[in-house]
Amino acid sequence: MNVPVILGLLGRLLIVYAGAMCIPLILAVFLGEWSIYSFLLAVIITGIPGLVLIRHAKADIKIGVREAFVAVAGAWILASLTGALPYWFANVVPTYIDAVFETVSGLTTTGASVINDVEVLPQSILLWRSLTHWLGGMGIIVLFIVLLPKTGMGSVLLFNAEVPGPMNDRVMPRIRDTATSLWKIYLIFTAICALLLWMAGMTFLDAINYAFATIATGGFSTKNTSIMYYDSLTIEMILTFFMILSGANFVIYLTVWRKKTMKAFRNTELIVYLLIITTATLAIAGSLWFNAGNSPGYSFRHALFQVATIITTTGYASADFDQWPSMTKIILLLLMFIGGSAGSTSGGMKVSRIILLVKATWAELKRGIHPRVVSSIKLDNKVIDAENLNKVGIFFFLYIVTFTGASIIIASTGLKPFDAMSAVAATLGNIGPGFGVVGPTTTFAGVSLLGKTVLTICMLLGRLEFFTLLIIFRPEFWRRRRVW
């Protein structure tokens, strides 16, 4: 294990992270808010260790598999612990565990909050909440690759360790070029979304906050009642469009941009993703219309918004869906598990994995009838090898086992079984609100400290898709033999 390389990488990350904290610090100074000293102290505590660690960096950084996994896991843990400092120093949460929960929820784009009244918070704190969304949405390591490119081939290992989806296609041969282009698209989407929200009636700072949270599919709001506060069809449609946009694979947009072709939109995962949204919207709208007695316009409006915000794991609320008919809640719960597309800022299992699981199941049933038939599983005319199918199956197993185990632990802390399951589904899938005591009109403040700790771990596991965190607990990972 090349410890100096890892320490050097983490040191650089802390310096970049301290620089990000300076943005809300500047806003606090400009507005004369009392949170100035909270951010100033957080910047010092984050930046100085970064400067100390960077002394261990080497000019020629060679990163192996083990260094990549440790660096990514360490980066997310450090970002979570130091990102909690502004909340803790500003005394906006009762305990440091609550501050870590809020930070992890931001970085993993979950959007679950432990703060009951966000409207009394300083604008700088609100901006930091949304900024953690935005940094974590595309990935803090992906940003790190863009800003600090001297990692050679190690960039590929770092990228794959943080973005461990079923297929990590990239349009350009150099991973830094791919990462840079992805961040450019990410920034353009954010700017357009903020401009449209400002034009639709939001204040400038609110528009920035919601743009950060929407493009990152995070869900932190500057209002206690989320999007219900605005009761604006225009704002809801703008957010719906950008949530669906961000829930799709960003590589598609990069392909269209670089190769000037629209053929990329014929992507199977994208088509299935949009089909799921359409089907779920029509089913929920029908239930709200016929079973709940709402008007057709109201039913379709809120069904579309809630389907978009749940499947993309954003977590906004345009209505209290916890009061909707049972069928609609079951559909929303299923969408929490599915999530968005691979290569997006969304959480969940990812649509591509669901497609591959269905195809693999169908192929196995076919082999049961015709044992001698040799069939290959394809996705967009690409044959999926046994290794990738095996990874999909293992991921599904880990997801279900983690969901079950965490649900039992959360239920043991006093939550009702369905509430406990929805809390785990909402955090493991990086969605945000669940049902019952953690529903769209409440927060996670009432969950016990043990429960918050477990749910924090669920958020990290869901964001890094298990392997990056779990692999470092294997004994052979730490043996002296070098793995490349």
Side-chain angles (χ1 to χ4, degrees), residues 110-171:
T110 303
S113 181
V114 293
I115 302 174
N116 288 320
D117 189 358
V118 297
E119 294 180 27
V120 301
L121 297 179
Q123 290 294 326
S124 54
I125 293 290
L126 293 177
L127 181 61
W128 177 239
R129 292 171 82 236
S130 301
L131 189 57
T132 55
H133 269 339
W134 198 71
L135 292 173
M138 187 58 67
I140 54 179
I141 294 298
V142 177
L143 175 62
F144 180 79
I145 293 171
V146 173
L147 297 178
L148 302 166
K150 296 180 181 180
T151 53
M153 288 301 294
S155 297
V156 178
L157 298 174
L158 289 170
F159 185 88
N160 291 336
E162 183 180 56
V163 192
M167 285 167 288
N168 296 321
D169 296 331
R170 61 179 189 268
V171 179

Short mmCIF file of all heavy atoms in Angstrom, two decimals, residues 110-171:
data_model
loop_
_atom_site.label_atom_id
_atom_site.label_comp_id
_atom_site.label_asym_id
_atom_site.label_seq_id
_atom_site.Cartn_x
_atom_site.Cartn_y
_atom_site.Cartn_z
N THR A 110 -28.87 12.58 -1.32
CA THR A 110 -30.06 11.93 -0.76
C THR A 110 -31.15 12.95 -0.45
O THR A 110 -32.31 12.78 -0.84
CB THR A 110 -29.70 11.16 0.52
OG1 THR A 110 -28.68 10.20 0.20
CG2 THR A 110 -30.91 10.43 1.08
N GLY A 111 -30.80 14.02 0.26
CA GLY A 111 -31.79 15.06 0.55
C GLY A 111 -32.61 14.81 1.79
O GLY A 111 -33.58 15.53 2.04
N ALA A 112 -32.26 13.78 2.58
CA ALA A 112 -32.93 13.55 3.86
C ALA A 112 -32.34 14.52 4.88
O ALA A 112 -31.12 14.62 5.00
CB ALA A 112 -32.74 12.11 4.31
N SER A 113 -33.18 15.21 5.60
CA SER A 113 -32.69 16.24 6.52
C SER A 113 -33.10 15.96 7.96
O SER A 113 -34.12 15.30 8.21
CB SER A 113 -33.23 17.61 6.10
OG SER A 113 -32.75 18.63 6.96
N VAL A 114 -32.29 16.44 8.89
CA VAL A 114 -32.61 16.35 10.32
C VAL A 114 -32.96 17.73 10.87
O VAL A 114 -33.14 17.89 12.07
CB VAL A 114 -31.45 15.75 11.12
CG1 VAL A 114 -31.22 14.29 10.75
CG2 VAL A 114 -30.17 16.56 10.92
N ILE A 115 -33.04 18.74 10.00
CA ILE A 115 -33.35 20.10 10.42
C ILE A 115 -34.83 20.37 10.21
O ILE A 115 -35.32 20.32 9.08
CB ILE A 115 -32.51 21.13 9.63
CG1 ILE A 115 -31.02 20.84 9.82
CG2 ILE A 115 -32.84 22.55 10.06
CD1 ILE A 115 -30.11 21.70 8.97
N ASN A 116 -35.54 20.62 11.28
CA ASN A 116 -36.99 20.79 11.20
C ASN A 116 -37.42 22.10 10.55
O ASN A 116 -38.43 22.16 9.85
CB ASN A 116 -37.61 20.69 12.61
CG ASN A 116 -37.59 19.27 13.15
OD1 ASN A 116 -37.83 18.31 12.42
ND2 ASN A 116 -37.29 19.13 14.43
N ASP A 117 -36.68 23.16 10.79
CA ASP A 117 -37.06 24.47 10.27
C ASP A 117 -35.89 25.07 9.49
O ASP A 117 -35.03 25.75 10.05
CB ASP A 117 -37.47 25.40 11.42
CG ASP A 117 -38.09 26.71 10.93
OD1 ASP A 117 -38.17 26.90 9.69
OD2 ASP A 117 -38.49 27.53 11.77
N VAL A 118 -35.86 24.82 8.19
CA VAL A 118 -34.75 25.32 7.37
C VAL A 118 -34.91 26.80 7.03
O VAL A 118 -33.94 27.46 6.65
CB VAL A 118 -34.61 24.51 6.05
CG1 VAL A 118 -34.28 23.06 6.35
CG2 VAL A 118 -35.87 24.62 5.20
N GLU A 119 -36.11 27.33 7.19
CA GLU A 119 -36.36 28.72 6.80
C GLU A 119 -35.72 29.72 7.75
O GLU A 119 -35.62 30.90 7.42
CB GLU A 119 -37.86 28.96 6.67
CG GLU A 119 -38.50 28.18 5.52
CD GLU A 119 -39.99 28.43 5.40
OE1 GLU A 119 -40.44 29.51 5.81
OE2 GLU A 119 -40.71 27.54 4.89
N VAL A 120 -35.30 29.27 8.94
CA VAL A 120 -34.64 30.17 9.88
C VAL A 120 -33.12 30.12 9.72
O VAL A 120 -32.41 30.88 10.38
CB VAL A 120 -35.02 29.82 11.34
CG1 VAL A 120 -36.52 29.92 11.54
CG2 VAL A 120 -34.51 28.44 11.73
N LEU A 121 -32.63 29.26 8.86
CA LEU A 121 -31.19 29.12 8.69
C LEU A 121 -30.62 30.29 7.89
O LEU A 121 -31.30 30.86 7.03
CB LEU A 121 -30.86 27.81 7.96
CG LEU A 121 -31.25 26.51 8.65
CD1 LEU A 121 -30.87 25.33 7.76
CD2 LEU A 121 -30.57 26.39 10.01
N PRO A 122 -29.36 30.65 8.13
CA PRO A 122 -28.70 31.68 7.32
C PRO A 122 -28.61 31.22 5.86
O PRO A 122 -28.54 30.02 5.57
CB PRO A 122 -27.31 31.80 7.95
CG PRO A 122 -27.43 31.21 9.31
CD PRO A 122 -28.48 30.15 9.21
N GLN A 123 -28.60 32.17 4.94
CA GLN A 123 -28.51 31.84 3.52
C GLN A 123 -27.21 31.09 3.22
O GLN A 123 -27.18 30.24 2.31
CB GLN A 123 -28.58 33.12 2.69
CG GLN A 123 -29.94 33.80 2.67
CD GLN A 123 -30.99 32.95 1.96
OE1 GLN A 123 -30.69 32.24 1.01
NE2 GLN A 123 -32.23 33.03 2.44
N SER A 124 -26.15 31.38 3.96
CA SER A 124 -24.88 30.70 3.72
C SER A 124 -24.97 29.22 4.06
O SER A 124 -24.39 28.37 3.36
CB SER A 124 -23.77 31.36 4.54
OG SER A 124 -24.12 31.43 5.91
N ILE A 125 -25.69 28.87 5.13
CA ILE A 125 -25.88 27.47 5.49
C ILE A 125 -26.72 26.76 4.43
O ILE A 125 -26.42 25.63 4.03
CB ILE A 125 -26.54 27.34 6.88
CG1 ILE A 125 -25.59 27.83 7.98
CG2 ILE A 125 -26.96 25.89 7.14
CD1 ILE A 125 -24.40 26.94 8.23
N LEU A 126 -27.77 27.44 3.97
CA LEU A 126 -28.61 26.86 2.91
C LEU A 126 -27.80 26.63 1.64
O LEU A 126 -27.97 25.60 0.96
CB LEU A 126 -29.80 27.79 2.62
CG LEU A 126 -30.84 27.94 3.73
CD1 LEU A 126 -31.91 28.95 3.32
CD2 LEU A 126 -31.49 26.60 4.06
N LEU A 127 -26.92 27.57 1.33
CA LEU A 127 -26.09 27.42 0.14
C LEU A 127 -25.12 26.25 0.30
O LEU A 127 -24.89 25.50 -0.66
CB LEU A 127 -25.31 28.71 -0.12
CG LEU A 127 -24.40 28.69 -1.37
CD1 LEU A 127 -25.21 28.45 -2.63
CD2 LEU A 127 -23.62 29.99 -1.47
N TRP A 128 -24.56 26.08 1.50
CA TRP A 128 -23.65 24.96 1.73
C TRP A 128 -24.36 23.63 1.58
O TRP A 128 -23.81 22.68 1.02
CB TRP A 128 -23.01 25.08 3.12
CG TRP A 128 -22.11 23.93 3.46
CD1 TRP A 128 -22.22 23.07 4.51
CD2 TRP A 128 -20.94 23.51 2.75
NE1 TRP A 128 -21.21 22.15 4.50
CE2 TRP A 128 -20.40 22.40 3.43
CE3 TRP A 128 -20.30 23.98 1.60
CZ2 TRP A 128 -19.27 21.73 3.00
CZ3 TRP A 128 -19.15 23.31 1.16
CH2 TRP A 128 -18.65 22.21 1.86
N ARG A 129 -25.61 23.55 2.09
CA ARG A 129 -26.40 22.31 1.93
C ARG A 129 -26.54 21.97 0.45
O ARG A 129 -26.31 20.84 0.03
CB ARG A 129 -27.78 22.47 2.56
CG ARG A 129 -27.77 22.58 4.06
CD ARG A 129 -29.16 22.94 4.59
NE ARG A 129 -30.03 21.78 4.72
CZ ARG A 129 -31.22 21.66 4.15
NH1 ARG A 129 -31.68 22.62 3.37
NH2 ARG A 129 -31.95 20.58 4.34
N SER A 130 -26.92 22.96 -0.36
CA SER A 130 -27.13 22.72 -1.78
C SER A 130 -25.81 22.47 -2.51
O SER A 130 -25.75 21.67 -3.45
CB SER A 130 -27.85 23.92 -2.41
OG SER A 130 -29.09 24.15 -1.79
N LEU A 131 -24.75 23.14 -2.05
CA LEU A 131 -23.45 22.97 -2.69
C LEU A 131 -22.90 21.57 -2.46
O LEU A 131 -22.24 21.00 -3.35
CB LEU A 131 -22.47 24.02 -2.15
CG LEU A 131 -21.11 24.14 -2.86
CD1 LEU A 131 -21.29 24.43 -4.34
CD2 LEU A 131 -20.26 25.23 -2.20
N THR A 132 -23.16 20.99 -1.29
CA THR A 132 -22.73 19.60 -1.06
C THR A 132 -23.44 18.66 -2.03
O THR A 132 -22.85 17.68 -2.51
CB THR A 132 -22.99 19.15 0.39
OG1 THR A 132 -24.38 19.33 0.72
CG2 THR A 132 -22.14 19.93 1.37
N HIS A 133 -24.71 18.95 -2.33
CA HIS A 133 -25.42 18.20 -3.36
C HIS A 133 -24.68 18.26 -4.68
O HIS A 133 -24.41 17.26 -5.32
CB HIS A 133 -26.82 18.81 -3.57
CG HIS A 133 -27.89 18.22 -2.72
ND1 HIS A 133 -27.80 16.98 -2.13
CD2 HIS A 133 -29.12 18.68 -2.38
CE1 HIS A 133 -28.90 16.73 -1.45
NE2 HIS A 133 -29.72 17.74 -1.59
N TRP A 134 -24.38 19.50 -5.07
CA TRP A 134 -23.81 19.73 -6.40
C TRP A 134 -22.43 19.09 -6.54
O TRP A 134 -22.10 18.53 -7.57
CB TRP A 134 -23.75 21.23 -6.67
CG TRP A 134 -23.58 21.58 -8.10
CD1 TRP A 134 -24.51 21.45 -9.10
CD2 TRP A 134 -22.41 22.13 -8.71
NE1 TRP A 134 -23.99 21.90 -10.29
CE2 TRP A 134 -22.70 22.32 -10.09
CE3 TRP A 134 -21.16 22.50 -8.24
CZ2 TRP A 134 -21.79 22.85 -10.98
CZ3 TRP A 134 -20.23 23.02 -9.14
CH2 TRP A 134 -20.55 23.19 -10.49
N LEU A 135 -21.62 19.17 -5.48
CA LEU A 135 -20.29 18.56 -5.50
C LEU A 135 -20.38 17.04 -5.55
O LEU A 135 -19.62 16.38 -6.27
CB LEU A 135 -19.49 18.99 -4.27
CG LEU A 135 -19.09 20.47 -4.20
CD1 LEU A 135 -18.46 20.77 -2.85
CD2 LEU A 135 -18.13 20.83 -5.33
N GLY A 136 -21.31 16.48 -4.80
CA GLY A 136 -21.43 15.02 -4.76
C GLY A 136 -22.17 14.44 -5.94
O GLY A 136 -22.03 13.25 -6.24
N GLY A 137 -22.97 15.26 -6.64
CA GLY A 137 -23.78 14.76 -7.74
C GLY A 137 -22.96 14.14 -8.84
O GLY A 137 -23.14 12.97 -9.20
N MET A 138 -22.04 14.89 -9.41
CA MET A 138 -21.18 14.35 -10.45
C MET A 138 -20.02 13.56 -9.85
O MET A 138 -19.40 12.74 -10.51
CB MET A 138 -20.65 15.49 -11.34
CG MET A 138 -19.88 15.03 -12.55
SD MET A 138 -20.79 13.93 -13.66
CE MET A 138 -22.04 15.05 -14.28
N GLY A 139 -19.75 13.81 -8.56
CA GLY A 139 -18.71 13.04 -7.88
C GLY A 139 -17.52 13.91 -7.49
O GLY A 139 -16.97 14.61 -8.33
N ILE A 140 -17.16 13.86 -6.21
CA ILE A 140 -16.05 14.69 -5.75
C ILE A 140 -14.72 14.18 -6.33
O ILE A 140 -13.79 14.96 -6.55
CB ILE A 140 -15.98 14.74 -4.21
CG1 ILE A 140 -15.95 13.34 -3.60
CG2 ILE A 140 -17.15 15.52 -3.66
CD1 ILE A 140 -15.86 13.33 -2.09
N ILE A 141 -14.62 12.90 -6.60
CA ILE A 141 -13.40 12.37 -7.20
C ILE A 141 -13.32 12.75 -8.68
O ILE A 141 -12.24 13.04 -9.21
CB ILE A 141 -13.32 10.84 -7.03
CG1 ILE A 141 -13.19 10.49 -5.54
CG2 ILE A 141 -12.14 10.27 -7.80
CD1 ILE A 141 -11.94 11.02 -4.87
N VAL A 142 -14.47 12.75 -9.37
CA VAL A 142 -14.49 13.16 -10.76
C VAL A 142 -14.06 14.62 -10.87
O VAL A 142 -13.29 15.00 -11.77
CB VAL A 142 -15.90 12.97 -11.38
CG1 VAL A 142 -15.93 13.46 -12.82
CG2 VAL A 142 -16.31 11.51 -11.32
N LEU A 143 -14.53 15.47 -9.94
CA LEU A 143 -14.08 16.86 -9.91
C LEU A 143 -12.58 16.92 -9.60
O LEU A 143 -11.84 17.72 -10.19
CB LEU A 143 -14.86 17.63 -8.84
CG LEU A 143 -14.43 19.09 -8.60
CD1 LEU A 143 -14.62 19.91 -9.87
CD2 LEU A 143 -15.22 19.70 -7.44
N PHE A 144 -12.12 16.07 -8.71
CA PHE A 144 -10.72 16.01 -8.33
C PHE A 144 -9.85 15.69 -9.55
O PHE A 144 -8.78 16.27 -9.76
CB PHE A 144 -10.54 14.94 -7.25
CG PHE A 144 -9.12 14.79 -6.77
CD1 PHE A 144 -8.58 15.68 -5.86
CD2 PHE A 144 -8.34 13.74 -7.21
CE1 PHE A 144 -7.28 15.52 -5.41
CE2 PHE A 144 -7.04 13.58 -6.77
CZ PHE A 144 -6.52 14.48 -5.86
N ILE A 145 -10.31 14.77 -10.39
CA ILE A 145 -9.58 14.39 -11.60
C ILE A 145 -9.47 15.58 -12.55
O ILE A 145 -8.44 15.79 -13.19
CB ILE A 145 -10.28 13.20 -12.30
CG1 ILE A 145 -10.17 11.95 -11.44
CG2 ILE A 145 -9.68 12.95 -13.68
CD1 ILE A 145 -11.01 10.78 -11.94
N VAL A 146 -10.54 16.38 -12.61
CA VAL A 146 -10.53 17.55 -13.50
C VAL A 146 -9.56 18.61 -13.00
O VAL A 146 -8.76 19.16 -13.77
CB VAL A 146 -11.95 18.15 -13.60
CG1 VAL A 146 -11.92 19.46 -14.39
CG2 VAL A 146 -12.90 17.16 -14.26
N LEU A 147 -9.59 18.90 -11.71
CA LEU A 147 -8.79 19.98 -11.16
C LEU A 147 -7.33 19.59 -10.95
O LEU A 147 -6.43 20.42 -11.06
CB LEU A 147 -9.38 20.45 -9.82
CG LEU A 147 -10.80 21.05 -9.89
CD1 LEU A 147 -11.27 21.41 -8.50
CD2 LEU A 147 -10.81 22.27 -10.80
N LEU A 148 -7.10 18.31 -10.63
CA LEU A 148 -5.74 17.86 -10.33
C LEU A 148 -5.43 16.65 -11.19
O LEU A 148 -5.53 15.51 -10.74
CB LEU A 148 -5.62 17.52 -8.84
CG LEU A 148 -5.95 18.67 -7.89
CD1 LEU A 148 -6.15 18.15 -6.48
CD2 LEU A 148 -4.86 19.71 -7.91
N PRO A 149 -5.06 16.87 -12.44
CA PRO A 149 -4.94 15.79 -13.40
C PRO A 149 -3.67 14.95 -13.33
O PRO A 149 -3.50 14.05 -14.12
CB PRO A 149 -5.02 16.52 -14.74
CG PRO A 149 -4.39 17.85 -14.46
CD PRO A 149 -4.79 18.19 -13.04
N LYS A 150 -2.74 15.24 -12.44
CA LYS A 150 -1.45 14.56 -12.43
C LYS A 150 -1.53 13.19 -11.76
O LYS A 150 -0.79 12.88 -10.83
CB LYS A 150 -0.41 15.43 -11.73
CG LYS A 150 -0.13 16.74 -12.47
CD LYS A 150 0.90 17.55 -11.72
CE LYS A 150 1.18 18.87 -12.43
NZ LYS A 150 2.19 19.69 -11.72
N THR A 151 -2.45 12.38 -12.22
CA THR A 151 -2.60 11.04 -11.65
C THR A 151 -2.39 9.96 -12.71
O THR A 151 -2.55 8.79 -12.41
CB THR A 151 -4.00 10.87 -11.02
OG1 THR A 151 -4.99 11.23 -11.99
CG2 THR A 151 -4.15 11.73 -9.80
N GLY A 152 -2.08 10.35 -13.93
CA GLY A 152 -1.77 9.38 -14.97
C GLY A 152 -2.88 8.38 -15.16
O GLY A 152 -4.07 8.70 -15.17
N MET A 153 -2.50 7.11 -15.33
CA MET A 153 -3.49 6.04 -15.49
C MET A 153 -4.30 5.81 -14.23
O MET A 153 -5.34 5.17 -14.26
CB MET A 153 -2.76 4.74 -15.89
CG MET A 153 -2.21 4.75 -17.30
SD MET A 153 -3.52 5.01 -18.54
CE MET A 153 -4.46 3.50 -18.31
N GLY A 154 -3.83 6.35 -13.11
CA GLY A 154 -4.59 6.22 -11.87
C GLY A 154 -5.94 6.90 -11.93
O GLY A 154 -6.85 6.56 -11.17
N SER A 155 -6.10 7.85 -12.85
CA SER A 155 -7.39 8.54 -13.01
C SER A 155 -8.49 7.55 -13.35
O SER A 155 -9.62 7.67 -12.88
CB SER A 155 -7.29 9.61 -14.10
OG SER A 155 -6.35 10.60 -13.76
N VAL A 156 -8.16 6.58 -14.19
CA VAL A 156 -9.15 5.57 -14.58
C VAL A 156 -9.58 4.77 -13.37
O VAL A 156 -10.78 4.51 -13.17
CB VAL A 156 -8.57 4.64 -15.66
CG1 VAL A 156 -9.58 3.56 -16.04
CG2 VAL A 156 -8.15 5.44 -16.88
N LEU A 157 -8.61 4.37 -12.54
CA LEU A 157 -8.93 3.59 -11.35
C LEU A 157 -9.77 4.40 -10.36
O LEU A 157 -10.72 3.88 -9.77
CB LEU A 157 -7.64 3.11 -10.68
CG LEU A 157 -6.76 2.18 -11.53
CD1 LEU A 157 -5.45 1.89 -10.81
CD2 LEU A 157 -7.49 0.89 -11.84
N LEU A 158 -9.41 5.67 -10.18
CA LEU A 158 -10.18 6.54 -9.29
C LEU A 158 -11.60 6.72 -9.81
O LEU A 158 -12.57 6.66 -9.06
CB LEU A 158 -9.49 7.90 -9.16
CG LEU A 158 -8.17 7.94 -8.37
CD1 LEU A 158 -7.50 9.29 -8.54
CD2 LEU A 158 -8.42 7.65 -6.89
N PHE A 159 -11.72 6.95 -11.11
CA PHE A 159 -13.03 7.16 -11.73
C PHE A 159 -13.91 5.92 -11.56
O PHE A 159 -15.07 6.01 -11.15
CB PHE A 159 -12.84 7.47 -13.22
CG PHE A 159 -14.12 7.81 -13.94
CD1 PHE A 159 -14.58 9.12 -13.98
CD2 PHE A 159 -14.86 6.84 -14.58
CE1 PHE A 159 -15.75 9.45 -14.66
CE2 PHE A 159 -16.03 7.15 -15.25
CZ PHE A 159 -16.48 8.46 -15.29
N ASN A 160 -13.36 4.75 -11.85
CA ASN A 160 -14.14 3.52 -11.74
C ASN A 160 -14.48 3.17 -10.30
O ASN A 160 -15.52 2.55 -10.04
CB ASN A 160 -13.38 2.36 -12.39
CG ASN A 160 -13.29 2.49 -13.89
OD1 ASN A 160 -14.12 3.15 -14.51
ND2 ASN A 160 -12.29 1.87 -14.48
N ALA A 161 -13.64 3.56 -9.36
CA ALA A 161 -13.91 3.27 -7.95
C ALA A 161 -15.05 4.13 -7.42
O ALA A 161 -15.80 3.70 -6.54
CB ALA A 161 -12.65 3.50 -7.11
N GLU A 162 -15.19 5.36 -7.95
CA GLU A 162 -16.27 6.22 -7.48
C GLU A 162 -17.54 6.04 -8.30
O GLU A 162 -18.65 6.22 -7.81
CB GLU A 162 -15.86 7.69 -7.54
CG GLU A 162 -16.94 8.61 -6.97
CD GLU A 162 -16.56 10.08 -7.02
OE1 GLU A 162 -16.24 10.58 -8.10
OE2 GLU A 162 -16.60 10.71 -5.96
N VAL A 163 -17.42 5.69 -9.57
CA VAL A 163 -18.58 5.54 -10.44
C VAL A 163 -18.65 4.09 -10.88
O VAL A 163 -18.39 3.76 -12.04
CB VAL A 163 -18.46 6.47 -11.67
CG1 VAL A 163 -19.77 6.53 -12.42
CG2 VAL A 163 -18.03 7.87 -11.23
N PRO A 164 -18.99 3.18 -9.96
CA PRO A 164 -18.91 1.75 -10.25
C PRO A 164 -20.17 1.18 -10.87
O PRO A 164 -20.61 0.09 -10.53
CB PRO A 164 -18.67 1.14 -8.87
CG PRO A 164 -19.42 2.05 -7.95
CD PRO A 164 -19.38 3.42 -8.57
N GLY A 165 -20.81 1.92 -11.78
CA GLY A 165 -22.04 1.44 -12.41
C GLY A 165 -21.80 0.21 -13.26
O GLY A 165 -20.67 -0.22 -13.48
N PRO A 166 -22.89 -0.39 -13.80
CA PRO A 166 -22.75 -1.62 -14.59
C PRO A 166 -21.91 -1.45 -15.84
O PRO A 166 -21.25 -2.36 -16.29
CB PRO A 166 -24.20 -1.98 -14.94
CG PRO A 166 -24.98 -0.72 -14.75
CD PRO A 166 -24.27 0.04 -13.67
N MET A 167 -21.94 -0.23 -16.44
CA MET A 167 -21.14 0.04 -17.64
C MET A 167 -20.69 1.49 -17.59
O MET A 167 -21.52 2.40 -17.61
CB MET A 167 -21.96 -0.21 -18.90
CG MET A 167 -22.16 -1.67 -19.21
SD MET A 167 -23.42 -1.90 -20.46
CE MET A 167 -24.88 -1.50 -19.53
N ASN A 168 -19.39 1.71 -17.51
CA ASN A 168 -18.84 3.06 -17.43
C ASN A 168 -18.25 3.46 -18.78
O ASN A 168 -17.05 3.57 -18.95
CB ASN A 168 -17.76 3.15 -16.34
CG ASN A 168 -18.35 2.91 -14.97
OD1 ASN A 168 -19.44 3.37 -14.69
ND2 ASN A 168 -17.64 2.18 -14.14
N ASP A 169 -19.11 3.64 -19.78
CA ASP A 169 -18.63 4.04 -21.10
C ASP A 169 -18.12 5.47 -21.05
O ASP A 169 -18.64 6.31 -20.33
CB ASP A 169 -19.76 3.94 -22.13
CG ASP A 169 -20.24 2.52 -22.32
OD1 ASP A 169 -19.42 1.61 -22.13
OD2 ASP A 169 -21.43 2.33 -22.64
N ARG A 170 -17.12 5.72 -21.85
CA ARG A 170 -16.66 7.10 -21.99
C ARG A 170 -16.41 7.37 -23.47
O ARG A 170 -15.94 6.51 -24.21
CB ARG A 170 -15.43 7.38 -21.15
CG ARG A 170 -14.20 6.57 -21.45
CD ARG A 170 -13.06 7.02 -20.52
NE ARG A 170 -11.79 6.45 -20.88
CZ ARG A 170 -11.31 5.32 -20.38
NH1 ARG A 170 -12.02 4.66 -19.50
NH2 ARG A 170 -10.14 4.87 -20.76
N VAL A 171 -16.72 8.59 -23.89
CA VAL A 171 -16.66 8.94 -25.29
C VAL A 171 -15.23 9.19 -25.74
O VAL A 171 -14.85 8.86 -26.86
CB VAL A 171 -17.54 10.18 -25.57
CG1 VAL A 171 -17.47 10.58 -27.04
CG2 VAL A 171 -18.98 9.90 -25.16
#
